[in-house]
Amino acid sequence: MLLINKLNNFSIISSLLDNDFYKFTMQNAVIKLFPSAKAKYEFINRGKHSFPKDFDEILKENLKKMAYLKLSNEEKNYLKKYCPYLDSSYLDYLNKYQYNPKEVNICQKGKNIRMNIEGLWSRTILWEVPLMAIISELYYKLTGAKRISDKKIIILTKEKLKKYKKLKVKIGEYGTRRRYSYQVHKLVLKILIEEGYPFFMGSSNVHLSHIFSIKPIGTQGHEWIMFHAAKYGFNKADRIAMENWLNIYRGNLGIALSDTYTSSVFFKNFNKKLSDTFKGVRHDSGDPISFAQETIKHYKNFQINPIKKKIIFSDNLDPCKVASISSFCKKKINPFFGIGTNFTNDVGLPSMNIVIKMVKAIPENKWISVVKLSNVEEKSTGKKKMIFFAKKILHL
């Protein structure tokens, strides 16, 4: 009971910017292009984790506190300086934005948690990442699992950094959503910034990037393309989503996400103009070496030199995987590695396997189920009937 009372008085999310950068870039695009669109998201417990008693009530208490978060003048000035492609109209919107806990429905039956988020897409888009960070931190606190010490975390992070430096690879930190805790996240990022030069390129967490006065990194997530499928159809979704992104950001944030409807479908949509204009692509599922081969072949077919393009890998990376991928990419294409859980939740405990995904959208006047067809079956999301339909349409 003492722990529960303590957690009810403790705010895990203390800043509106404690979120992944791509949530803000997508929110800006949604406000401009789809201001009346609605979305529904669901929590998926991939790891079949057992949640302790009253977990839902403690989670709700944390959400209530988020309603009081506001963008500070200092934070707004930081975004103006470090993210000039976010225009003043969007920053004014964000300045007035407040989380509404009524958009989130949570219930617990036994050891299972059910949760969905519903409302205007432009508003609900910010919930996913901080919600997952809260769930993760509360889970470890309430289950009483003992992590390794800060001293060991520092040593471990420095050892990984030493390996990445030896490989001479460019790395970024993408670990907000499944971090062990805010405190561990901040500690790891401090080490990466202090000792990672010139190979550490930044963090996707905007709040921590602000604290350490560095530029946040990231572009777009799967939901951007999933919504476009609901509005324009599965065959055109990748292409129109990329074209809309270019119209908003005019070449900035120019990394295309490749696996919403499998990479084979993506490359069919990634035409000469888009391949020329986007600075590179992001891999998030399936065999990374096969994807790199496919990407290089795609660029060469359009007479584009792959060495002038970036390929970002962000799927469950560790030093061993990075070494293998970077060895293959050497002198062929420019790799970049977005490392998440292995940085922010490598504390001697099993990491959580949880996601929150868009499941429905209202592009115009009715709810439409949305799906993600990853390069691997276990990362696909959506209703079975709609997955079957999408595969049939896309000839998968």
Side-chain angles (χ1 to χ4, degrees):
M1 186 59 74
L2 267 174
L3 178 62
I4 290 173
N5 289 335
K6 188 178 177 183
L7 287 172
N8 280 338
N9 294 320
F10 171 69
S11 293
I12 290 173
I13 305 296
S14 60
S15 166
L16 189 69
L17 296 185
D18 191 359
N19 207 327
D20 276 342
F21 182 50
Y22 73 5
K23 283 293 179 173
F24 299 106
T25 58
M26 286 192 293
Q27 185 184 47
N28 175 45
V30 170
I31 289 164
K32 288 177 170 55
L33 297 179
F34 311 109
S36 61
K38 291 185 178 180
K40 184 175 183 179
Y41 303 78
E42 282 184 5
F43 171 71
I44 304 167
N45 183 6
R46 279 182 182 159
K48 309 294 181 189
H49 305 286
S50 295
F51 291 93
K53 188 182 176 184
D54 297 325
F55 189 92
D56 59 335
E57 295 304 320
I58 299 166
L59 182 56
K60 286 174 187 175
E61 286 301 314
N62 260 274
L63 266 57
K64 285 178 187 175
K65 294 184 180 75
M66 287 179 68
Y68 298 98
L69 297 176
K70 292 276 286 179
L71 189 74
S72 70
N73 288 332
E74 190 185 349
E75 287 173 328
K76 187 177 180 181
N77 289 332
Y78 162 80
L79 292 174
K80 277 183 186 176
K81 180 180 177 181
Y82 287 88
C83 314
Y85 29 76
L86 297 177
D87 62 25
S88 58
S89 65
Y90 172 66
L91 294 183
D92 288 342
Y93 172 89
L94 200 59
N95 202 40
K96 295 170 186 172
Y97 180 91
Q98 284 180 279
Y99 283 105
N100 180 2
K102 289 179 181 178
E103 292 167 345
V104 186
N105 181 46
I106 305 163
C107 69
Q108 181 169 356
K109 287 188 177 180
K111 294 181 178 181
N112 297 317
I113 292 286
R114 296 192 70 179
M115 178 169 61
N116 61 65
I117 306 154
E118 186 177 320
L120 277 173
W121 189 24
S122 57
R123 287 195 43 79
T124 54
I125 197 167
L126 291 190
W127 275 112
E128 175 195 348
V129 176
L131 254 177
M132 287 178 66
I134 292 170
I135 290 167
S136 184
E137 185 158 349
L138 284 179
Y139 177 82
Y140 290 113
K141 279 184 164 64
L142 287 167
T143 52
K146 299 294 180 185
R147 67 169 173 88
I148 59 176
S149 66
D150 283 3
K151 186 178 178 182
K152 286 182 179 177
I153 289 171
I154 291 167
I155 292 167
L156 197 56
T157 305
K158 286 182 178 180
E159 284 174 355
K160 290 173 193 170
L161 205 44
K162 192 175 178 181
K163 290 175 183 177
Y164 293 134
K165 282 184 166 185
K166 192 175 179 181
L167 291 168
K168 295 183 178 178
V169 294
K170 292 179 179 178
I171 57 169
E173 179 275 302
Y174 285 13
T176 303
R177 65 189 61 218
R178 295 183 194 93
R179 66 192 182 195
Y180 172 84
S181 70
Y182 172 81
Q183 187 260 329
V184 167
H185 190 177
K186 189 176 180 182
L187 175 65
V188 168
L189 186 55
K190 185 173 185 288
I191 298 158
L192 293 174
I193 291 167
E194 288 176 351
E195 305 199 18
Y197 182 82
F199 301 107
F200 179 65
M201 307 305 290
S203 169
S204 64
N205 186 286
V206 186
H207 163 62
L208 290 173
S209 295
H210 168 231
I211 285 177
F212 291 111
S213 299
I214 59 172
K215 184 180 178 180
I217 55 174
T219 54
Q220 67 207 220
H222 295 100
E223 68 184 282
W224 177 249
I225 300 139
M226 289 161 75
F227 175 86
H228 279 75
K231 187 168 176 67
Y232 302 106
F234 293 111
N235 281 307
K236 298 178 183 176
D238 278 307
R239 179 177 59 79
I240 299 176
M242 285 186 276
E243 288 170 350
N244 279 338
W245 196 257
L246 285 178
N247 289 336
I248 295 290
Y249 291 111
R250 305 194 177 279
N252 290 303
L253 309 172
I255 301 296
L257 182 56
S258 65
D259 71 330
T260 311
Y261 298 110
T262 73
S263 347
S264 59
V265 172
F266 166 79
F267 283 117
K268 287 175 187 173
N269 279 273
F270 200 40
N271 58 33
K272 176 75 163 68
K273 180 186 174 184
L274 293 170
S275 297
D276 268 327
T277 310
F278 274 86
K279 293 169 186 171
V281 297
R282 176 158 77 93
H283 167 269
D284 197 48
S285 65
D287 181 71
I289 304 298
S290 297
F291 179 77
Q293 289 172 326
E294 196 176 2
T295 304
I296 291 163
K297 182 183 175 184
H298 176 84
Y299 281 129
K300 284 183 175 178
N301 285 342
F302 284 135
Q303 286 80 52
I304 296 169
N305 187 354
I307 207 70
K308 294 182 179 179
K309 295 293 184 178
K310 294 178 183 176
I311 183 167
I312 297 178
F313 297 92
S314 59
D315 182 26
N316 195 26
L317 298 174
D318 58 33
C320 184
K321 288 181 184 176
V322 170
S324 172
I325 298 165
S326 63
S327 174
F328 174 80
C329 292
K330 197 171 184 180
K331 295 184 180 178
K332 298 185 187 87
I333 194 166
N334 286 310
F336 177 100
F337 300 91
I339 299 158
T341 308
N342 191 251
F343 270 149
T344 62
N345 200 350
D346 188 10
V347 297
L349 297 167
S351 56
M352 296 196 82
N353 187 1
I354 56 174
V355 293
I356 293 173
K357 288 292 179 187
M358 181 189 282
V359 291
K360 287 185 178 180
I362 300 181
E364 286 162 2
N365 54 21
K366 66 175 181 176
W367 286 108
I368 296 174
S369 292
V370 298
V371 299
K372 174 191 165 199
L373 302 181
S374 178
N375 289 321
V376 289
E377 196 75 32
E378 60 266 26
K379 290 187 86 173
S380 296
T381 61
K383 295 195 179 296
K384 286 182 180 179
K385 281 185 179 179
M386 187 57 84
I387 288 175
F388 176 81
F389 177 68
K391 284 181 175 179
K392 190 175 180 182
I393 294 289
L394 295 167
H395 305 291
L396 295 174

